[in-house]
Amino acid sequence: MKVIRNILDGMKPHVQKGGKFHKFHAMYDAAETLFFVPNKVTYKGAHIRDAVDLKRNMFMVVIALVPALLFGMWNTGYQYHLSIGQSASLFDNFLHGFLAVLPIIIVSYVVGLGIEIIFAQMRGHEVNEGYFVTGVLIPLIIPVDTPLWMVALAVIFAVIIGKEVFGGTGMNIFNPALVARAFLFFAYPSQMSGDKIWIDGLTQGQGIVDGFSGATPLAKLAAGEPGSVLSAYDMFMGWIPGSIGETSTLAILIGALFLLFTGVASWRVMLSVFVGGAAMGLLMNAFAVNTYMEIPFYYHFLMGGFAFGAVFMATDPVTASQTATGKIIYGFLIGVMAVLIRVLNPAYPEGMMLAILLLNTFAPLIDYYVIGANVSKRLKRVKA
Amino acid sequence: MHNIKINRGLNISLNGMAVLQTADSSTSTHYAVKPSDFVGLIPKLAVKVGFPVKAGTILFNDKQNPDIKFTSPVSGVVSAIERGDKRKILSVVVEAASTQEYESFAISDPSKMSRADIVSNLLVSGAWTHIKQRPYGTLANPNATPKSIFISIFDSAPLGVDYHYVLANEADMFQKGIDVLKQLTTGKVHVGFDASKTLPDGLKNLKNVEITAYSGKHPAGLVGTHINQLDPINKGDVVWQVQPQDVLVIGRLFAKGHYDVSKTVALVGSEVERPQYYKTKQGALLSSVVGGKIKGQNVRYISGNVLTGTMLELNAYLSAYHEMISVIPEGNHYQFFGWITPNFHKFSMSKTYFSWLMPNKSYTLDTNINGGHRAYVVTGQYEKVVPLDIYPVELIKACITNDIDRMEQLGIYEVLEEDFALCDFVCTSKQETQAILRQGLDLMIKEVG
């Protein structure tokens, strides 16, 4: 650690104001604060500060994503080997998936962090940790066969239009990772749907064995083939086709427990998304006119990105409602909208992404009314 | 007497709690009155260097409200008028004489005096400056009548003063001070104490006062919390607050006819050799209390507690309103991968560290910010430590955007910096909420008054 400190101290004069490499100061700061918590002390306000900072906070989310990521890698290999009709060992499945997913993660981080550093440099800010999480979220919510150039394009769009135009992390209206997903979905609709994109190698025309379908449960339901919907157990465990990190409800739940335990994610949002989804699912059951409306409500939690969205996307503190009451309303409506879009809108097999983006738009409005209640209570007190 | 439980808040358990023993501090050669201790004060000098003064002799008055006089804490000679940028007066220093003489003021029973006489006695002696008003935390306005007056003898802040100990033998003067204050308000004088401790005998039978017990974590002991529970401040309301030992100053004035600012201060913190209480006077040299009693080299001296106090140099003077001195290590060092390692010695409200597993452990915390300044990302943190019926983040944002209407709607009249001090502490984005709130309060003073 002394060695690293010495190297950093040696570089410092050159990147500070007036130094030859001042244009790289944001990059330097990012590296320095990665290795060391800075030596800055309080000079106003409270003299002591909580040990937590945004880096640690964000890192907790990354840890929570690890089960879904590891499972996603294994499942990528597993689905691949299924599609070509071979059986492979656990390790071979994982290795294949690892090699397929790693390039996507690298592209996501290199492109995203590159843009973040450029903006931090332009604004004279420190590089914000937000992309720490977004960088791994994006690979987890896209199909494994998405071409890398599309990943790069989606990241550029998400970081610039989704975040930096609003002023960077903390200022954005929409969840950046979902902006990336939505970009892919709407810009390349033909490539991003169907039953080939979910399996590694299929779009390049690798062979499929008879009887294998790469279609996701949601696609089958939307296409009106509920008969072939997988068992709840398979969907819960996650060895089904789908976006890289979204398939295993179990892996996501492990992450959810970690997030709730550390208090990094809001239990109010998380819980109320599921309550909202259940409520809408039951309502659908009550008025069921087709098989999709008849499926048990908990199937919605197991299919597609519902669980992943509820745990990792809806709970994004920046784009969610900020008041305690607001969080409950916000989460509930996400659950309701997700199921509503899924079941009643044939154009979009998956409703979670759109439901969260929609409620991102309404989150400030929800807060406005919640805070408005507090304001009018105060006004009433004056009159009394 | 009723009991109020405060459900939100945070106790920060630090090393260096004062033991219940009191010693005399060494003699301070100089004493000072610092205009910066008083919000918005512009002083108008009444003395020059070399003027002889007694304890209670005017040093300067408030330019906006000339009736408010700031008087010398001791007798002696004005030895310096220290100035800063733009000749702003930083402190008026008095070199103490070896024998103390007091200006004499009327000795009388407050219950038989008119309100106007009491006010003028307080003003002329300088004791008036020991009363603070809400909103804004400025000096009390002599022309206003508060709807209630709040005193808290529950210091819930880290390493807080044990007022049950400090006031145990001062019950008479405390009662006298309360009798005076009672005459100044149309409403009640409230005293709040720590429900987890029993009141000392002398304080059990206080009269002219509404006693309330509070239980809960910090800020359960702050008057801001008490006011919000019992008599919330609306637009146009005025509430006063007085520190426990300032009540004694007022009591002594009416009982003895002297302006006597003797105080018992707690010397606390992990860097103090033996944390305990010391007898001194307001405005004494810091070194007279802490000199030779400190362990570490690289330390910070704070007049007040670690959440709201003022950073001081060793050769500076104790601030008004403060009843403790905290000494903690400076944190001007790098921590290798500090954000990622488990760090069992660190304290956090969040469960991202392990401190929540050890609720009875005390910590040695330094002044490191533990991170970098960021935009708001994490939500719901401030709400956990502000037990008021207020949306703290929204109020802070209204202050940042200088939105007066919004500040008013969100309850700026009810809060002072100390009520938000824990927000500074817990903020993941390391926002300076106390400083931001003060900006908002200053703007309110300027625009609304």
Side-chain angles (χ1 to χ4, degrees):
Chain A
M1 81 187 246
K2 197 94 192 169
V3 181
I4 300 171
R5 187 68 249 164
N6 288 342
I7 295 171
L8 287 167
D9 282 342
M11 282 160 69
K12 203 162 200 168
H14 302 292
V15 293
Q16 278 170 338
K17 227 177 200 136
K20 211 164 160 189
F21 298 104
H22 182 56
K23 33 179 188 296
F24 296 107
H25 83 87
M27 204 186 280
Y28 173 84
D29 283 345
E32 188 189 16
T33 57
L34 183 71
F35 285 115
F36 294 95
V37 171
N39 61 351
K40 279 188 202 137
V41 295
T42 54
Y43 62 98
K44 56 183 174 185
H47 296 270
I48 53 172
R49 300 297 165 99
D50 196 294
V52 76
D53 68 348
L54 204 52
K55 266 198 188 63
R56 193 173 183 97
N57 202 68
M58 293 292 184
F59 189 65
M60 293 297 143
V61 185
V62 175
I63 293 176
L65 283 165
V66 166
L69 176 66
L70 293 181
F71 182 89
M73 285 174 170
W74 172 82
N75 190 43
T76 299
Y78 176 71
Q79 295 296 333
Y80 167 77
H81 286 111
L82 270 189
S83 76
I84 58 169
Q86 288 176 5
S87 64
S89 67
L90 181 99
F91 179 76
D92 285 343
N93 281 337
F94 181 80
L95 185 70
H96 182 92
F98 177 77
L99 293 175
V101 174
L102 191 65
I104 304 179
I105 296 178
I106 291 173
V107 167
S108 164
Y109 270 118
V110 169
V111 175
L113 283 178
I115 300 170
E116 289 266 349
I117 289 172
I118 292 168
F119 272 90
Q121 182 76 46
M122 275 163 47
R123 296 201 172 108
H125 288 177
E126 287 183 41
V127 176
N128 212 304
E129 289 80 7
Y131 200 77
F132 224 39
V133 172
T134 313
V136 59
L137 277 179
I138 291 176
L140 290 181
I141 58 170
I142 60 175
V144 67
D145 236 11
T146 311
L148 291 178
W149 64 268
M150 274 192 206
V151 176
L153 218 58
V155 167
I156 292 169
F157 183 84
V159 175
I160 295 181
I161 305 296
K163 190 157 85 172
E164 294 301 342
V165 292
F166 295 106
T169 303
M171 316 287 186
N172 46 308
I173 295 171
F174 299 109
N175 183 316
L178 280 179
V179 171
R181 186 68 181 86
F183 175 83
L184 288 174
F185 185 79
F186 289 108
Y188 306 101
S190 56
Q191 288 96 325
M192 279 299 127
S193 47
D195 53 10
K196 289 200 163 67
I197 190 77
W198 312 100
I199 311 297
D200 183 36
L202 240 57
T203 46
Q204 278 93 44
Q206 297 214 18
I208 309 180
V209 291
D210 280 349
F212 178 83
S213 165
T216 64
L218 283 172
K220 289 179 187 170
L221 273 168
E225 326 165 2
S228 56
V229 170
L230 299 154
S231 75
Y233 175 73
D234 287 344
M235 293 197 293
F236 178 74
M237 297 308 288
W239 34 66
I240 53 170
S243 295
I244 296 168
E246 290 181 353
T247 59
S248 173
T249 315
L250 177 67
I252 294 162
L253 277 181
I254 296 170
L257 286 179
F258 183 77
L259 285 182
L260 292 176
F261 186 72
T262 54
V264 170
S266 161
W267 62 268
R268 288 188 176 88
V269 174
M270 223 186 268
L271 183 70
S272 53
V273 174
F274 284 105
V275 172
M280 198 62 199
L282 289 170
L283 195 69
M284 288 291 171
N285 291 165
F287 296 95
V289 290
N290 60 30
T291 41
Y292 204 162
M293 290 173 80
E294 276 165 6
I295 63 161
F297 73 89
Y298 59 85
Y299 266 56
H300 287 292
F301 303 162
L302 306 175
M303 296 186 298
F306 194 97
F308 193 89
V311 173
F312 296 109
M313 301 290 197
T315 54
D316 170 11
V318 175
T319 55
S321 281
Q322 307 200 348
T323 54
T325 320
K327 279 172 184 163
I328 293 171
I329 301 170
Y330 165 87
F332 185 82
L333 289 178
I334 286 178
V336 167
M337 291 307 295
V339 173
L340 190 71
I341 296 170
R342 273 183 181 180
V343 178
L344 296 186
N345 189 335
Y348 303 115
E350 173 57 303
M352 199 57 184
M353 168 185 85
L354 293 170
I356 297 175
L357 287 174
L358 183 71
L359 264 297
N360 282 172
T361 325
F362 284 103
L365 187 71
I366 296 169
D367 281 338
Y368 179 82
Y369 283 108
V370 171
I371 293 163
N374 180 269
V375 170
S376 52
K377 195 158 104 191
R378 190 164 288 111
L379 282 174
K380 247 183 235 154
R381 213 168 64 197
V382 181
K383 282 176 199 142
Chain B
M1 182 168 68
H2 53 296
N3 210 313
I4 294 178
K5 184 161 171 37
I6 304 297
N7 290 317
R8 288 177 282 166
L10 176 70
N11 277 345
I12 305 166
S13 179
L14 298 183
N15 290 320
M17 190 79 182
V19 295
L20 299 184
Q21 271 182 19
T22 309
D24 287 326
S25 67
S26 41
T27 331
S28 178
T29 52
H30 294 78
Y31 290 80
V33 182
K34 298 183 285 182
S36 61
D37 291 349
F38 308 94
V39 170
L41 173 69
I42 303 167
K44 190 165 185 295
L45 283 174
V47 291
K48 287 182 179 155
V49 172
F51 273 37
V53 292
K54 291 179 188 173
T57 307
I58 180 170
L59 296 178
F60 56 86
N61 44 19
D62 181 349
K63 203 167 187 174
Q64 291 137 318
N65 205 333
D67 289 341
I68 301 179
K69 297 182 170 67
F70 295 79
T71 57
S72 175
V74 291
S75 65
V77 176
V78 177
S79 64
I81 291 163
E82 293 170 348
R83 289 174 186 271
D85 293 343
K86 298 183 185 166
R87 295 188 45 78
K88 181 183 165 189
I89 297 169
L90 300 178
S91 54
V92 178
V93 184
V94 177
E95 188 175 350
S98 51
T99 51
Q100 285 299 302
E101 291 175 51
Y102 294 90
E103 295 275 1
S104 36
F105 302 101
I107 301 176
S108 48
D109 181 356
S111 63
K112 295 186 181 118
M113 291 171 80
S114 71
R115 186 175 189 274
D117 287 344
I118 292 177
V119 170
S120 80
N121 201 27
L122 287 168
L123 284 169
V124 73
S125 62
W128 187 266
T129 60
H130 295 258
I131 306 173
K132 249 193 214 182
Q133 80 160 37
R134 289 189 185 224
Y136 314 137
T138 51
L139 285 167
N141 180 351
N143 302 318
T145 306
K147 66 170 184 168
S148 50
I149 298 176
F150 281 80
I151 302 160
S152 171
I153 57 170
F154 175 14
D155 187 355
S156 54
L159 303 174
V161 173
D162 184 344
Y163 285 115
H164 294 203
Y165 168 71
V166 171
L167 297 175
N169 300 320
E170 302 268 13
D172 294 348
M173 288 303 140
F174 196 63
Q175 179 66 61
K176 194 81 172 177
I178 288 169
D179 294 344
V180 175
L181 294 171
K182 177 68 189 160
Q183 300 295 316
L184 299 176
T185 172
T186 49
K188 289 173 180 164
V189 177
H190 293 274
V191 170
F193 77 100
D194 183 353
S196 67
K197 295 176 187 166
T198 47
L199 273 176
D201 289 338
L203 299 179
K204 270 182 187 150
N205 304 312
L206 288 175
K207 291 179 199 67
N208 281 334
V209 75
E210 184 86 4
I211 298 183
T212 311
Y214 293 89
S215 52
K217 296 173 177 171
H218 187 62
L222 290 183
V223 286
T225 311
H226 302 176
I227 295 170
N228 192 266
Q229 291 283 335
L230 298 176
D231 198 6
I233 303 173
N234 301 311
K235 188 181 182 184
D237 288 349
V238 175
V239 169
W240 289 352
Q241 64 183 66
V242 190
Q243 285 289 103
Q245 298 201 62
D246 289 330
V247 177
L248 300 180
V249 172
I250 294 170
R252 285 192 287 258
L253 175 70
F254 283 77
K256 297 179 179 165
H258 291 162
Y259 178 62
D260 177 359
V261 289
S262 299
K263 255 186 196 182
T264 303
V265 298
L267 176 59
V268 298
S270 60
E271 302 311 289
V272 178
E273 199 83 63
R274 189 169 183 284
Q276 64 166 76
Y277 292 83
Y278 290 95
K279 279 207 164 88
T280 179
K281 279 183 176 171
Q282 184 174 313
L285 271 168
L286 187 65
S287 56
S288 73
V289 182
V290 306
K293 303 186 181 87
I294 305 304
K295 286 190 272 194
Q297 290 290 319
N298 186 21
V299 300
R300 177 175 296 190
Y301 300 102
I302 302 159
S303 175
N305 69 49
V306 292
L307 292 177
T308 59
T310 328
M311 197 195 319
L312 288 185
E313 298 295 323
L314 200 51
N315 58 2
Y317 305 90
L318 290 181
S319 300
Y321 307 122
H322 290 159
E323 305 190 351
M324 67 192 288
I325 300 163
S326 313
V327 188
I328 57 171
E330 280 288 2
N332 49 353
H333 50 78
Y334 292 94
Q335 302 155 57
F336 187 62
F337 275 119
W339 58 278
I340 194 173
T341 42
N343 282 322
F344 290 99
H345 63 286
K346 288 193 169 187
F347 179 79
S348 174
M349 179 179 75
S350 75
K351 287 182 182 159
T352 59
Y353 285 86
F354 294 95
S355 55
W356 65 275
L357 283 170
M358 301 168 275
N360 297 320
K361 189 179 168 182
S362 302
Y363 294 83
T364 296
L365 300 186
D366 61 31
T367 62
N368 195 290
I369 293 179
N370 293 321
H373 183 266
R374 297 286 183 274
Y376 279 118
V377 171
V378 179
T379 58
Q381 277 188 310
Y382 293 6
E383 288 80 352
K384 282 184 190 156
V385 295
V386 178
L388 312 175
D389 187 16
I390 272 178
Y391 282 101
V393 181
E394 297 304 316
L395 181 56
I396 289 295
K397 285 180 179 171
C399 292
I400 293 172
T401 52
N402 294 330
D403 187 340
I404 292 171
D405 289 340
R406 195 81 183 136
M407 283 191 249
E408 195 175 290
Q409 288 172 351
L410 293 168
I412 186 111
Y413 299 122
E414 301 173 45
V415 295
L416 291 184
E417 296 102 304
E418 59 184 23
D419 301 312
F420 272 52
L422 277 172
C423 299
D424 271 8
F425 179 80
V426 299
C427 190
T428 303
S429 297
K430 311 295 173 187
Q431 294 279 350
E432 302 287 351
T433 52
Q434 292 191 80
I436 295 168
L437 188 69
R438 179 34 71 190
Q439 266 175 32
L441 289 165
D442 285 346
L443 185 72
M444 293 300 290
I445 295 174
K446 208 172 123 203
E447 300 290 331
V448 182

